[in-house]
Amino acid sequence: MNVTVCVKRVPDTETRVRIDGTGIETTGVKFIVSPYDEFAVEAALRTKEAAGDGAVSLLSLGDASTAESLRAGLAMGADSALLLTADVGLDGLATAKALANELQGSDDALILFGVKAADDDQQQVGPMVATLLNRPCVTGVASFEVQGDMAVCHREVEGGVEVIEVDLPAVLTITKGEYEPRYASLKGIMAAKRKPLEEKEATSVPERLRVDRLSEPPARAAGRIVGEGPDAVPELLRLLREEANAL
Amino acid sequence: MDLTPEQQSIRDAVQKLCVPFDDDYWLERDRSEEFPFDFHRAIADGGWLGIAMPEQYGGGGLGVTEAALMMHTVANSAGAMSAASAIHINIFGPHAIVVFGTDEQKQRWLPPLIRGETKSCFGVTEADAGLDTTSIATTARRTDEGYEIHGKKVWTSTAQEADKIMLLARTTPKEECERHTDGMTLFYTDLDRDYCDVTTIPKMGRASVDSCEVFVDGLPVPAEDRVGEEGQGFACLLHSLNPERILIAAEAIGIGRNALARATEYAKTRVVFDRPIGQNQAIQHPLAQSWMELEAAWMMTMRAASLYDSGEPCGLEANAAKYLAGEAGFQACTRAVMTHGGMGYAKEFHVERLLREVMIARLAPVSPELILCHIAEKALGLPKSY
């Protein structure tokens, strides 16, 4: 069972982001594989292990430093990686097209994505690639298993679990479910050096989304005192329910 | 001094592995004095115990630089010296086997050590000899099957858990040897409790990893458990002394940086007289000093490691690194307690634990004073003072 996992290099989620006009200041920022994509890599490795054969390939679109993130995935246990070099912006469709151009000829039974990238949170690229490749797509998959020519996917929905059966080949986007990513072992890191990591230029796809300006969210307003003692409870409840949507 | 991508992956992977073993886990071990078996298992399962062991026996085949980076990361975690000591001896302790062991010995001993199935401990130090190692009184007498060992060792870490012991014993009395360093032999053998009595020493810190006295009474050791030539034990041991100093230095810096980070965070958030205490120079300056001391010690440590890995002599640098790091780590932990004020004395803020943990790196494996003597003699050419 061959699986391709598309991964994205993003700033470490613990980084304190500073804005630089239309992007973020990258000096001194640590980059990691997007955590949702790590779930997808873990899911792919388990799928391969359960099948007893096959290969897990990684695919990424990004600048040359993205190779480091791919090495991290190889160290987890993926078999090979391909980096499509490009300047990546915020246009999900442009990213999806560049990836789909590469994946057009792929006969891998599964193409996995993280449910979203931890930096731009758009949740677009997975479903778009599926559409471009004319494959079925299940998003937000918390766990799945392959049964013959089909994947049985579990999605966590309000108050229950939705089970979706999808024909292979398919595209799945994986969310935080049961796929706690494994640690890279020393052997994995050593082996990663010898695994194939190919780099080539991405097919050029013009970005149609332009960032004019990026700014910090407004500072949080001070708290509000709604009253004192038990008399304030009804009003507090009303605000929590109607304004904060917390109840 | 920039890390290679591979070194970065090592640091990141070890860091991630340490995360589940958090402050609460180690504070609990500090109270219960229970060996951190699950932490040891996690490290062994990742293959990390073999980082500096040859690849053909299941190790990573990497150098002391990578081992130091790994131990720095481990000691920088919430586990501090307890985490480091739980695995430390397995990283460079078996080095004598790698260099002087026969193929048969390496095949027999290294793979189970790397897999974490056997744990080893180090029986070198003796109460009456201390750093004057050539004055050890433990003896190994020839028998038909091999040797019989009598004596007592002290400050043997993890002896309560260990299955194997690396033992240094005299096979020829010191006075009959041409050089004091001759006549000692190194053994790696079963820590057979029928012949060895292991007593835990109650101590200041690192509660979950025991330090012990080991009384050896007629321990039979087969000849095939001797490492290297008879009488050459001291020379065999020398090979692992510099790496050990480098690793201890890296550990002390890891603990110091942890303490400094906690102190800095506290100084930023603790408000007294309407301002964060970190805005006061009396708080800032000692912390800034610690940052510089730790950075400088780290550079010396990496320098020593890189010399060792390229086969160059590194005695001065390894000793200097251990000195600088031991002092810098200790200072950083002391300052972290002081920055926390009264809270620094409370266990829930963890800095008092770090202070207790870092003390070992200042004391062992060699005292700061003896390092100064060594530097005076070897770097400056002054007359030997001891």
Side-chain angles (χ1 to χ4, degrees):
Chain A
M1 159 95 30
N2 292 338
V3 186
T4 291
V5 189
C6 296
V7 300
K8 184 176 183 186
R9 178 175 166 85
V10 300
D12 191 338
T13 44
E14 284 173 22
T15 298
R16 203 171 151 177
V17 171
R18 276 186 314 224
I19 285 167
D20 163 27
T22 59
I24 64 159
E25 178 70 60
T26 53
T27 337
V29 171
K30 190 180 167 203
F31 283 81
I32 57 168
V33 175
S34 175
Y36 296 99
D37 298 346
E38 279 194 324
F39 301 142
V41 174
E42 179 62 34
L45 293 171
R46 290 196 205 171
T47 305
K48 175 189 155 181
E49 285 157 6
D53 66 354
V56 173
S57 322
L58 305 177
L59 177 63
S60 190
L61 186 75
D63 61 17
S65 60
T66 303
E68 269 176 50
S69 307
L70 290 171
R71 283 267 178 242
L74 293 173
M76 278 176 74
D79 299 285
S80 65
L82 171 61
L83 169 58
L84 303 173
T85 52
D87 281 335
V88 184
L90 276 178
D91 187 346
L93 184 57
T95 301
K97 282 180 177 168
L99 293 174
N101 284 342
E102 180 59 37
L103 291 167
Q104 210 71 55
S106 164
D107 54 5
D108 285 4
L110 281 166
I111 298 172
L112 304 185
F113 289 81
V115 67
K116 59 184 178 180
D119 55 356
D120 60 33
D121 257 5
Q122 299 195 88
Q123 314 197 23
Q124 292 182 350
V125 178
M128 283 175 169
V129 167
T131 307
L132 291 166
L133 295 178
N134 201 21
R135 287 190 183 197
C137 178
V138 185
T139 57
V141 175
S143 71
F144 68 89
E145 57 190 87
V146 173
Q147 290 177 2
D149 290 336
M150 172 174 92
V152 181
C153 306
H154 297 247
R155 299 178 79 239
E156 281 168 15
V157 293
E158 191 81 35
V161 175
E162 184 178 41
V163 181
I164 299 179
E165 296 176 353
V166 64
D167 288 335
L168 300 178
V171 174
L172 311 181
T173 74
I174 308 294
T175 190
K176 185 172 188 166
E178 64 171 53
Y179 300 116
E180 185 62 37
R182 63 194 64 190
Y183 304 122
S185 68
L186 177 60
K187 272 212 162 58
I189 292 172
M190 304 295 291
K193 284 195 297 188
R194 296 187 279 269
K195 288 178 180 173
L197 195 168
E198 195 194 328
E199 270 185 50
K200 66 179 184 190
E201 250 178 68
T203 49
S204 158
V205 179
E207 294 242 342
R208 296 188 302 175
L209 196 145
R210 194 183 69 239
V211 178
D212 282 341
R213 197 167 59 87
L214 210 58
S215 58
E216 299 266 359
R220 257 174 73 167
R224 199 165 10 133
I225 295 171
V226 296
E228 273 183 35
D231 294 347
V233 173
E235 175 63 359
L236 182 63
L237 282 175
R238 188 189 69 80
L239 289 172
L240 285 172
R241 194 176 295 121
E242 291 172 16
E243 278 190 21
N245 289 325
L247 297 178
Chain B
M1 295 267 178
D2 287 341
L3 300 181
T4 64
E6 182 186 275
Q7 290 168 343
Q8 286 173 28
S9 330
I10 289 173
R11 183 198 54 199
D12 293 351
V14 175
Q15 218 162 36
K16 272 193 193 167
L17 203 155
C18 291
V19 169
F21 304 94
D22 58 5
D23 282 342
D24 292 341
Y25 174 88
W26 289 105
L27 185 57
E28 179 48 36
R29 297 284 162 312
D30 189 52
R31 288 191 179 120
S32 67
E33 308 198 353
E34 219 181 293
F35 188 82
F37 288 105
D38 35 2
F39 171 75
H40 179 272
R41 182 41 43 213
I43 291 278
D45 286 348
W48 297 103
L49 293 179
I51 189 165
M53 298 288 120
E55 282 185 273
Q56 64 192 109
Y57 301 106
L62 296 171
V64 72
T65 308
E66 286 77 15
L69 196 61
M70 167 190 161
M71 294 310 289
H72 172 269
T73 310
V74 167
N76 189 239
S77 78
M81 195 54 96
S82 300
S85 295
I87 55 173
H88 174 98
I89 199 64
N90 292 285
I91 306 295
F92 254 84
H95 197 57
I97 301 172
V98 174
V99 180
F100 297 98
T102 63
D103 285 343
E104 183 274 324
Q105 288 177 326
K106 289 184 220 181
Q107 198 55 61
R108 185 151 54 98
W109 291 332
L110 296 181
L113 260 181
I114 293 168
R115 291 194 298 264
E117 291 159 9
T118 56
K119 295 196 192 71
S120 64
C121 64
F122 223 53
V124 175
T125 306
E126 294 185 12
D128 296 332
L131 290 170
D132 181 9
T133 305
T134 67
S135 297
I136 58 167
T138 298
T139 57
R141 191 173 56 79
R142 270 274 189 193
T143 61
D144 291 343
E145 293 77 34
Y147 298 85
E148 188 181 292
I149 300 185
H150 290 267
K152 60 173 192 246
K153 297 291 177 181
V154 73
W155 294 117
T156 299
S157 291
T158 71
Q160 293 294 8
E161 284 76 32
D163 329 272
K164 293 275 186 185
I165 185 165
M166 180 91 79
L167 259 179
L168 186 70
R170 275 228 163 261
T171 33
T172 312
K174 190 175 175 179
E175 48 282 6
E176 291 171 26
C177 296
E178 201 174 309
R179 291 179 309 174
H180 288 171
T181 50
D182 290 343
M184 286 178 283
T185 303
L186 195 62
F187 302 92
Y188 183 73
T189 194
D190 289 340
L191 179 49
D192 185 343
R193 280 150 217 275
D194 287 344
Y195 301 92
C196 297
D197 198 9
V198 178
T199 316
T200 304
I201 306 169
K203 61 187 187 311
M204 175 179 180
R206 206 194 68 180
S208 62
V209 180
D210 52 90
S211 296
C212 302
E213 282 184 285
V214 181
F215 298 90
V216 186
D217 188 10
L219 176 70
V221 178
E224 59 264 27
D225 284 0
R226 189 189 71 212
V227 181
E229 294 297 310
E230 185 174 298
Q232 295 303 305
F234 193 73
C236 294
L237 215 51
L238 273 183
H239 268 261
S240 49
L241 291 189
N242 286 329
E244 154 126 64
R245 269 152 223 209
I246 294 168
L247 294 193
I248 288 276
E251 291 163 17
I253 297 163
I255 299 171
R257 283 176 168 166
N258 183 353
L260 181 60
R262 288 174 196 263
T264 310
E265 189 51 37
Y266 190 79
K268 277 182 195 163
T269 50
R270 167 76 172 156
V271 175
V272 182
F273 296 119
D274 299 327
R275 55 199 261 147
I277 58 168
Q279 205 173 341
N280 302 321
Q281 290 179 348
I283 297 286
Q284 287 183 353
H285 287 187
L287 299 182
Q289 227 168 329
S290 271
W291 183 85
M292 293 188 284
E293 289 165 7
L294 290 164
E295 290 297 308
W298 180 246
M299 285 185 200
M300 183 60 93
T301 306
M302 286 292 102
R303 167 84 183 137
S306 123
L307 284 172
Y308 183 88
D309 287 338
S310 49
E312 301 289 328
C314 67
L316 289 175
E317 290 78 5
N319 275 288
K322 144 59 200 161
Y323 178 95
L324 294 172
E327 300 304 303
F330 171 73
Q331 281 296 351
C333 292
T334 308
R335 286 169 181 154
V337 172
M338 298 309 288
T339 303
H340 280 73
M343 294 304 170
Y345 206 57
K347 288 197 187 280
E348 66 173 297
F349 283 82
H350 300 279
V351 284
E352 64 79 36
R353 180 167 61 87
L354 295 183
L355 178 59
R356 287 185 283 117
E357 299 261 323
V358 83
M359 194 60 96
I360 297 176
R362 208 180 176 209
L363 292 164
V366 55
S367 70
E369 291 76 14
L370 208 58
I371 291 180
L372 293 174
C373 296
H374 179 80
I375 299 288
E377 183 194 344
K378 304 287 183 190
L380 305 178
L382 294 170
K384 186 171 176 163
S385 59
Y386 58 97

